[in-house]
């Protein structure tokens, strides 16, 4: 058996199948072009359209080493020798070319002759009804019958992925881990074997009734885990002991100050971190940032599980980001994208670590109390998630280790209730659900949109709706919805707001206040009839508010230019995360890990304005979705696209799939100005900008503001900053003096209670309506007079009480300020926190201050 490194196995595999006429393709993205999948979970995912017969293959034979991510068994990662989140899958594929015989022969040749794995250690499984595969293994390969194990459908039959689709039997090659087990087989002693390669024979199609039909073109899809093959060839007990993981584990030992191989609990945590840091590095390098939704939430779960294991190893500081370099050094030659994004990965990861560390101790404290009760109910599990950032699977894993049940159904109910509250807060009232009448109308009416070329058009009223019911007419003063056979009005979609305007007919007109598309193919005008009587079948003229539409068009095209500029200035990890295009402004949400510097904002503004001044034609083209994406058009994962899409292109600067309205050339935008840039969630930032007359108005408002400030300060424009800086320094000096005087006055006038208990001096002062600074300064003054002792200062304000506790250095070994503050705060109906020498706390019941002081005295007595 050849002792090959992971890199050598990968190279040998691709080289072998290249010699068999296969095209070697690079790994596809971890982010699949597939709305059904969040991540690429297998080597065949990039080829699904070919397997499903939707596209013709460019190459009939392909071989790849595909980066993959799965989190279905994340709780087992680190606990078992083989489970991973991120892994590499070696595969060879045939699209209507060779079939079972070649797939089996070549797999056997590679395993036994190239890798030189002894045949005595190899067994195979086949689907119980697959006699063809049995004959190939038995008669052509020469494998004895007892080493060809027939298995049921749950073990050796693949697919379909949905209710219908391609599927077929498969055959697996298994490696016997324990050669002393003479009577073992994969069926009777599964734990003694390791599956190293799965050969899927896609030869059937299952219909809606569950019936199987032979496929006209039969395909081959195989998958062999690189990490597993490395463990076999390097003869090590787990995948984590291979050269693939060794440099990463070495880095973990160095950074965390731990030793691998001495304690099983420590080893489990090290393995978790070693696995997860690979997943984290690759996912962030693909432009996914931690969030509470979709892929971002999967990433957050992985990071926080790894971080918890770092804390179990005694490290309570951001540390995972320091291990990224080891992943890049080990895998960067094969996957250059992680080298390019190395700094981004480390910055994003460090920021997320800091975020979780702020709440992990409080969350663990709450969870410990719940675990002591013997059960974690749904509301508490949700609070851990919502308040302390604990992903539910992390809570489940910790609870499982302690043998405690978690009410997952109750957690899911709380999650859904939160989503419902969010929907209501956003005003998401789906009128299409209220007015099912639109479903019926859409069965007979398909509206043609003419608004790309026109802002006025003539048509005929196809339907009228009032109060959720179809009617024959709308009278003067009434509100309702109008559906015409054709319209230039744009319905709100893809972030672009709806057009407004009017509908005219002989003898009357109506104001169009909103436009929606409640059902595919239907455009609905919400109107108020201002004059006349509108009937079904009436000939009408539809007139869009031109000035408003032009402003929207300017902002929409500017949004595309902004997106492209952001990617050029900040990096290709930038992805659109939401947008709003209105006549007044544009709002663009995008993935990025930190605030933009002033220099970056100026560079982005300059780049967009440069493209505006070049007066570049804005080209639109309708083509197939696959063709558009292949040519490099930007598509949004959240959007649903049809087979044909509209591509909006600005030379070679910007190309996006978009159904919105745009200017005919960039010069029509006039001017572009960023108004604000801010974070809206972890890893997502928001830019608000204005264009055209909006940018002109913004500049004028700023000029007027500067003139007003100049007039108030009575200085020339160029001296404004200098004058303000001087005033601020003066103000700070005055504030400092006022606080000092206030503290001295209070120290003189306030009643100080001083006592000694068991040789420990303490002093208490009660104040009213003072600032936090005064509170702290008073405590400092008290303690300086005591020299050795404990100072407590209360502040009563608006039926609440806050206080500080300060302990002299010589007493810290006996008493901790934070413990004393918490004990007293409990009496006052509140809580607190802080350090050993200083703590702050508060409560809702000022009347119990004397009781709180008695509690302090008890603590000093040791009660």
């Amino acid at each position: 058996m050849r002792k090959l490194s992971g890199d050598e196995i990968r190279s040998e595999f691709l080289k072998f199948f290249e010699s068999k006429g296969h095209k070697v393709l690079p790994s596809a993205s971890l982010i699949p072009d597939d709305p059904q999948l969040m991540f690429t979970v297998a080597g065949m995912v990039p080829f699904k359209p070919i397997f499903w017969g939707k596209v013709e293959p460019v190459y009939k034979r392909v071989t790849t080493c595909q980066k993959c991510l799965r989190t279905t068994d994340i709780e087992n990662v680190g606990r078992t020798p083989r489970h991973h989140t991120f892994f590499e899958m070696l595969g060879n594929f045939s699209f209507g070319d060779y079939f079972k015989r070649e797939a089996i022969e070549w797999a056997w040749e590679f395993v036994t002759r190239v890798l030189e794995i002894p045949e005595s250690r190899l067994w195979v499984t086949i689907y119980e009804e697959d006699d063809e595969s049995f004959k190939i293994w038995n008669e052509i390969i020469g494998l004895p019958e007892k080493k060809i194990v027939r298995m049921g459908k749950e073990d050796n039959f693949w697919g379909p992925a949905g209710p219908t689709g391609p599927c077929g039997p498969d055959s697996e090659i298994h490696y016997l881990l324990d050669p002393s087990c003479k009577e073992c087989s994969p069926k009777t002693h599964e734990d003694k074997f390791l599956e190293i390669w799965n050969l899927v024979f896609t030869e059937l199609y299952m219909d809606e009734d569950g019936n199987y039909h032979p496929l006209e073109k039969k395909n081959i899809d195989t998958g062999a885990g690189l990490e597993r093959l490395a463990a076999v060839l390097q003869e090590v007990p787990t995948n984590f002991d291979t050269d693939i993981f060794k440099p990463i584990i070495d880095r973990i030992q160095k950074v965390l100050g731990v030793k691998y191989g001495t304690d099983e609990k420590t080893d489990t945590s090290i393995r978790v971190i070693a696995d997860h840091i690979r997943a984290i590095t690759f996912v962030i390098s693909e432009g996914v940032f931690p969030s509470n939704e979709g892929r971002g939430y999967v990433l957050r779960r992985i990071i926080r599980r790894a971080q918890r294991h770092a804390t179990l190893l005694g490290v309570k500081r951001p540390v995972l980001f320091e291990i990224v370099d080891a992943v890049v050094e080990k895998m960067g030659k094969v996957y250059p994208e992680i080298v390019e994004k190395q700094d981004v990965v480390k910055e994003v990861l460090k920021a997320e670590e800091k975020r979780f560390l702020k709440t992990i101790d409080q969350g663990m404290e709450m969870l410990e109390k719940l675990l002591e009760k013997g059960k974690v109910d749904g509301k508490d599990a949700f609070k851990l998630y919502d308040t302390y950032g604990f992903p539910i699977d992390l809570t489940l894993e910790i609870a499982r280790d302690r043998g405690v049940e978690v009410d997952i159904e109750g957690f899911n109910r709380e999650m859904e209730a939160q989503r419902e509250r969010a929907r209501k807060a956003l005003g998401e009232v789906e009128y299409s659900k209220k007015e099912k009448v639109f479903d019926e109308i859409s069965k007979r009416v398909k509206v043609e949109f003419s608004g790309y070329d026109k802002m006025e058009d003539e048509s005929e009223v196809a339907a009228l709706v009032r109060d959720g019911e179809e009617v024959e007419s709308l009278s003067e003063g009434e509100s309702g919805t109008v559906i015409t056979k054709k319209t230039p009005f744009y319905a709100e979609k893809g972030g672009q707001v709806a057009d407004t305007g009017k509908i005219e007919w002989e003898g009357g007109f109506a104001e169009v206040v909103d436009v929606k598309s409640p059902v595919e193919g239907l455009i609905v005008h919400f109107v108020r009839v201002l004059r006349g009587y509108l009937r079904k079948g009436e000939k009408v003229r539809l007139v869009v508010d031109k000035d408003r539409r032009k402003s929207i068009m300017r902002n929409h095209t500017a949004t595309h230019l902004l997106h492209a500029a952001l990617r050029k200035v900040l990096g290709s990890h930038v992805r659109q995360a939401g947008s709003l295009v209105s006549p007044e402004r544009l709002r663009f949400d995008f993935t990025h890990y930190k605030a933009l510097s002033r220099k970056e904002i100026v560079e982005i503004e300059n780049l967009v304005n440069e493209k505006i001044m070049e007066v570049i034609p804005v080209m639109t083209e309708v083509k197939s979705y696959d063709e558009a994406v292949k040519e490099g058009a930007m598509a949004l994962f959240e959007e649903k696209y049809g087979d044909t899409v509209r591509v909006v292109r600005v030379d070679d600067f910007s190309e996006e799939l978009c159904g919105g309205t745009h200017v005919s050339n960039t010069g029509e935008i006039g001017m572009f100005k960023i108004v604000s840039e801010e974070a809206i969630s972890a890893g997502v930032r928001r830019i608000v900008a204005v264009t055209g007359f909006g940018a002109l108005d913004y500049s004028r408002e700023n000029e007027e503001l500067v003139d007003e400030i100049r007039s108030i300060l009575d200085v020339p424009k160029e001296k404004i900053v200098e004058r303000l800086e001087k005033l601020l320094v003066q103000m700070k000096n005055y504030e400092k003096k006022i606080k000092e005087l206030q503290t001295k006055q209070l120290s003189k006038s306030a009643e100080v209670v001083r006592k000694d208990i068991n040789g420990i001096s303490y002093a208490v002062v009660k104040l009213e309506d003072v600032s936090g600074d005064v509170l702290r300064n008073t405590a400092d003054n008290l303690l300086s007079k005591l020299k050795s002792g404990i100072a407590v200062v209360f502040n009563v304000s608006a039926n609440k009480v806050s206080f500080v506790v300060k302990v002299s250095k010589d007493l810290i070994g006996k008493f901790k300020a934070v413990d004393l503050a918490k004990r007293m705060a409990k009496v006052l109906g509140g809580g607190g926190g802080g350090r050993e020498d200083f703590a702050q706390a508060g409560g809702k019941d000022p009347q119990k201050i004397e009781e709180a002081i008695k509690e302090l005295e008890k603590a000093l007595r040791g009660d």
Side-chain angles (χ1 to χ4, degrees):
M1 190 154 58
R2 295 175 69 190
K3 192 166 185 177
L4 301 177
S5 68
D7 288 340
E8 288 169 334
I9 297 167
R10 188 192 301 108
S11 176
E12 288 286 346
F13 183 91
L14 298 175
K15 189 166 65 176
F16 174 81
F17 280 101
E18 187 175 32
S19 74
K20 303 296 183 184
H22 291 65
K23 175 68 177 177
V24 179
L25 293 179
S27 172
S29 170
L30 267 179
I31 312 299
D33 182 21
D34 185 337
Q36 293 179 323
L37 294 172
M38 208 167 278
F39 292 100
T40 299
V41 295
M44 60 78 64
V45 168
F47 308 113
K48 271 181 71 176
I50 299 174
F51 284 116
W52 264 247
K54 291 182 178 179
V55 298
E56 286 295 315
V58 177
Y59 308 102
K60 295 276 184 153
R61 300 180 181 186
V62 167
T63 184
T64 64
C65 179
Q66 176 63 46
K67 50 188 179 181
C68 301
L69 186 81
R70 296 178 186 172
T71 58
T72 46
D73 297 320
I74 192 171
E75 70 278 1
N76 291 322
V77 174
R79 300 174 187 274
T80 71
R82 319 286 174 206
H83 275 94
H84 297 295
T85 51
F86 175 88
F87 60 96
E88 295 177 83
M89 186 175 282
L90 301 165
N92 59 289
F93 307 90
S94 168
F95 308 120
D97 188 21
Y98 65 83
F99 199 48
K100 288 184 184 179
R101 176 168 176 166
E102 294 89 342
I104 291 172
E105 284 183 322
W106 291 339
W108 191 253
E109 181 184 348
F110 181 74
V111 168
T112 59
R113 295 186 190 173
V114 178
L115 302 183
E116 298 178 6
I117 298 176
E119 293 185 21
S120 61
R121 302 283 288 270
L122 297 173
W123 290 59
V124 300
T125 59
I126 62 171
Y127 176 49
E128 57 193 359
E129 297 176 15
D130 189 2
D131 295 330
E132 183 184 358
S133 290
F134 177 85
K135 284 183 180 179
I136 296 169
W137 281 116
N138 183 236
E139 297 175 10
I140 297 173
I141 302 301
L143 211 58
E145 184 174 344
K146 75 167 192 173
K147 293 188 102 179
I148 309 167
V149 182
R150 292 180 183 265
M151 304 281 274
K153 193 176 250 188
E154 65 278 2
D155 294 302
N156 279 78
F157 195 94
W158 180 87
T164 65
C167 53
D170 63 58
S171 180
E172 297 168 349
I173 301 175
H174 295 259
Y175 176 77
L176 178 60
L177 296 167
D178 181 5
S180 67
C181 189
K182 303 298 182 186
E183 301 303 318
C184 292
S185 89
K187 193 169 190 174
T188 58
H189 297 79
E190 186 181 350
D191 60 321
K192 302 289 185 183
F193 287 85
L194 176 66
E195 178 205 327
I196 59 172
W197 204 339
N198 187 16
L199 317 175
V200 179
F201 312 123
T202 313
E203 57 182 317
L204 302 170
Y205 183 89
M206 191 177 85
D207 63 22
E208 292 86 349
D209 300 320
N211 300 316
Y212 294 104
H213 308 279
L215 283 172
E216 186 180 336
K217 291 183 179 179
K218 296 180 168 74
N219 303 312
I220 290 293
D221 156 27
T222 85
L226 176 64
E227 294 82 2
R228 290 188 175 204
L229 283 174
V232 169
L233 295 179
Q234 295 169 28
E235 298 183 83
V236 291
T238 80
N239 295 0
F240 296 96
D241 296 300
T242 65
D243 76 300
I244 294 171
F245 282 95
K246 187 178 183 306
I248 299 171
I249 288 176
D250 286 347
R251 180 70 174 161
I252 292 169
Q253 292 180 98
K254 184 178 178 181
V255 171
L256 277 76
V258 291
K259 187 74 177 170
Y260 185 61
T262 57
D263 174 76
E264 184 52 34
K265 282 188 175 180
T266 298
D267 289 354
T268 297
S269 291
I270 291 173
R271 288 193 293 264
V272 167
I273 295 168
D275 171 273
H276 288 10
I277 197 64
R278 298 205 312 163
I280 291 162
T281 300
F282 276 87
V283 172
I284 295 176
S285 73
E286 296 269 10
V288 177
F289 293 162
S291 70
N292 282 335
E293 293 181 355
R295 297 187 182 105
Y297 184 56
V298 174
L299 174 60
R300 174 162 282 169
R301 286 167 51 204
I302 296 171
I303 292 172
R304 295 193 170 181
R305 185 170 188 258
Q307 198 165 5
R308 177 192 168 241
H309 280 275
T311 61
L312 290 176
L313 294 173
V315 179
K316 293 189 176 181
R317 61 178 172 83
V319 70
L320 301 178
F321 78 98
E322 296 182 42
I323 309 166
V324 170
D325 291 344
V327 180
V328 175
E329 286 165 18
K330 179 62 187 170
M331 307 184 75
K333 289 179 183 175
V334 182
Y335 302 104
E337 63 272 20
I338 64 173
V339 179
E340 182 190 342
K341 297 294 192 301
Q342 186 172 356
D343 291 340
V344 172
V345 172
K346 290 168 74 173
E347 286 201 52
V348 171
L349 180 53
K350 187 177 182 180
E352 178 66 11
E353 287 188 81
K354 285 181 176 178
R355 192 174 290 111
F356 190 39
L357 284 168
K358 287 178 182 176
T359 58
I360 190 171
D361 286 340
Q362 292 168 289
M364 283 304 301
E365 189 178 326
M366 177 184 171
L367 184 54
E368 282 296 331
K369 289 176 182 176
L370 296 171
L371 294 173
E372 287 170 11
K373 293 179 182 177
K375 184 176 180 180
V376 180
D377 68 31
K379 286 187 176 179
D380 288 329
F382 179 75
K383 185 177 180 181
L384 282 167
Y385 160 79
D386 195 43
T387 305
Y388 300 111
F390 274 55
I392 184 62
D393 48 359
L394 186 57
T395 300
L396 287 167
E397 183 178 347
I398 297 169
R400 185 189 69 177
D401 291 346
R402 300 277 286 273
V404 174
E405 183 186 347
V406 178
D407 177 15
I408 190 66
E409 289 184 7
F411 171 83
N412 290 334
R413 283 195 299 272
E414 293 296 319
M415 279 291 288
E416 185 52 42
Q418 187 193 55
R419 291 190 189 105
E420 186 60 34
R421 287 192 296 271
R423 283 193 286 268
K424 287 179 180 176
L426 291 169
E428 290 184 8
V429 181
E430 292 291 344
Y431 56 84
S432 60
K433 292 177 182 175
K434 285 184 174 182
E435 302 182 12
K436 293 178 182 177
V437 64
F438 294 133
D439 290 327
E440 294 301 317
I441 295 172
S442 69
K443 292 174 184 176
R444 66 176 195 272
V445 179
K446 295 297 176 193
V447 180
E448 177 191 343
F449 176 62
S450 60
Y452 290 134
D453 307 308
K454 302 176 181 179
M455 292 196 210
E456 291 187 20
D457 209 344
E458 294 182 352
S459 187
E460 180 182 320
V461 176
L464 296 167
V465 175
R466 186 181 65 241
D467 298 329
E469 293 183 3
E470 197 167 354
V471 294
E472 290 299 312
S473 63
L474 289 174
S475 303
E476 189 171 312
E478 285 185 334
S479 294
T481 54
V482 179
I483 299 161
T484 54
K485 293 180 179 179
K486 187 166 61 168
T487 181
F489 280 85
Y490 183 84
E492 180 185 354
K493 193 177 182 182
Q496 180 176 326
V497 299
D499 284 329
T500 59
K502 60 184 177 180
I503 299 176
E504 302 172 330
W505 63 94
E506 190 175 339
F509 68 92
E511 178 188 15
V512 178
V513 295
D514 200 2
V515 187
K516 302 280 186 186
S517 180
V519 184
E520 188 67 34
L522 206 64
I523 297 174
V524 175
H525 310 82
F526 288 74
V527 306
R528 282 194 294 266
V529 179
L530 300 180
R531 191 177 71 205
Y533 193 76
L534 181 60
R535 298 176 179 81
K536 187 176 174 181
E538 188 94 54
K539 301 289 183 186
V540 294
R541 183 165 188 79
L542 300 107
V543 183
V544 173
D545 182 331
K546 295 181 180 63
D547 290 339
R548 185 175 179 276
R549 162 73 86 82
K550 285 177 181 177
S551 294
I552 293 170
M553 289 159 66
R554 282 192 287 267
N555 285 337
H556 202 152
T557 307
T559 302
H560 286 218
L561 297 180
L562 171 61
H563 190 185
L566 284 165
R567 288 175 64 84
K568 282 179 170 56
V569 173
L570 304 179
S572 58
H573 63 275
V574 169
R575 294 174 184 268
Q576 182 173 337
S579 70
L580 172 70
V581 179
S582 72
E584 296 82 19
R585 63 194 172 105
L586 66 92
R587 189 185 74 206
F588 189 76
D589 301 340
F590 59 99
T591 55
H592 191 53
Y593 51 91
K594 62 179 181 180
L596 272 61
S597 67
R598 181 62 195 156
K599 182 183 175 184
E600 286 170 333
I601 290 174
V602 169
E603 192 176 347
I604 291 161
E605 280 185 340
N606 286 346
L607 189 50
V608 173
N609 281 301
E610 182 183 306
K611 295 303 170 184
I612 290 171
M613 286 185 278
E614 287 177 14
V615 194
I616 304 168
V618 178
M619 309 300 292
T620 60
E621 187 179 358
V622 175
K623 55 179 69 176
S624 75
Y625 173 80
D626 292 329
E627 183 186 359
V629 172
K630 190 176 179 182
E631 290 176 1
M634 290 284 292
L636 302 183
F637 176 73
E638 294 82 2
E639 289 288 330
K640 292 177 181 173
Y641 298 102
D643 293 333
T644 59
V645 292
R646 186 168 178 262
V647 180
V648 178
R649 183 165 54 85
V650 181
D651 199 17
D652 59 355
F653 184 72
S654 167
E655 187 173 1
E656 293 191 31
L657 307 187
C658 181
T661 60
H662 290 269
V663 296
S664 59
N665 69 72
T666 59
E668 293 177 24
I669 298 171
M671 178 185 172
F672 171 85
K673 179 65 184 170
I674 293 175
V675 173
S676 66
E677 189 274 336
E678 62 181 349
I680 57 168
S681 64
V684 180
R685 303 199 67 81
R686 170 173 291 171
I687 280 178
V688 175
V690 287
T691 67
F693 289 108
L696 191 59
D697 290 340
Y698 179 76
S699 297
R700 284 172 179 158
E701 286 170 9
N702 281 342
E703 283 177 11
E704 289 170 5
L705 183 61
V706 170
D707 283 343
E708 192 174 345
I709 294 169
R710 182 195 59 73
S711 176
I712 292 169
L713 296 175
D714 193 22
V715 293
K717 185 177 177 180
E718 61 272 13
K719 296 282 186 180
I720 287 175
V721 174
E722 184 184 331
R723 178 67 176 137
L724 285 173
E725 285 175 344
K726 285 181 180 177
L727 287 173
L728 285 171
V729 170
Q730 287 176 2
M731 280 178 63
K732 285 178 182 175
N733 289 335
Y734 291 147
E735 285 173 0
K736 187 178 178 183
K737 286 177 181 177
I738 289 168
K739 284 173 184 174
E740 288 172 356
L741 290 169
Q742 199 175 18
T743 302
K744 286 178 182 177
Q745 183 63 32
L746 287 168
S747 298
K748 289 177 183 177
S749 61
E751 183 186 348
V752 179
V753 177
R754 178 172 174 171
K755 287 186 181 180
D756 289 338
I757 293 180
N758 287 346
I760 306 295
S761 297
Y762 80 86
V764 175
V765 172
K766 299 176 201 172
L767 305 175
E768 290 185 5
D769 297 319
V770 298
S771 68
D773 286 342
V774 171
L775 206 61
R776 288 186 289 273
N777 291 340
T778 305
D780 288 339
N781 286 342
L782 271 181
L783 198 59
S784 66
K785 291 175 182 176
L786 287 175
K787 293 187 177 163
S788 173
I790 297 164
V792 181
V793 184
F794 290 96
N795 176 39
V796 178
S797 178
N799 294 321
K800 290 182 181 178
V801 59
S802 59
F803 65 96
V804 296
V805 179
K806 198 164 175 71
V807 177
S808 60
K809 288 181 181 178
D810 62 307
L811 296 180
I812 287 174
K814 294 180 180 179
F815 303 102
K816 292 180 181 177
V818 65
D819 294 339
L820 296 172
K822 284 181 178 179
R823 188 165 173 173
M824 295 166 71
K826 196 172 182 182
V827 175
L828 296 166
R835 306 185 305 267
E836 292 181 344
D837 63 327
F838 179 80
Q840 300 179 82
K844 296 176 279 187
D845 202 344
Q847 289 80 19
K848 292 187 177 179
I849 288 177
E850 293 303 323
E851 286 182 43
I853 295 170
K854 287 178 183 176
E855 195 64 34
L856 170 66
E857 292 175 350
K858 284 182 186 178
L860 298 182
R861 291 192 195 98
D863 294 348

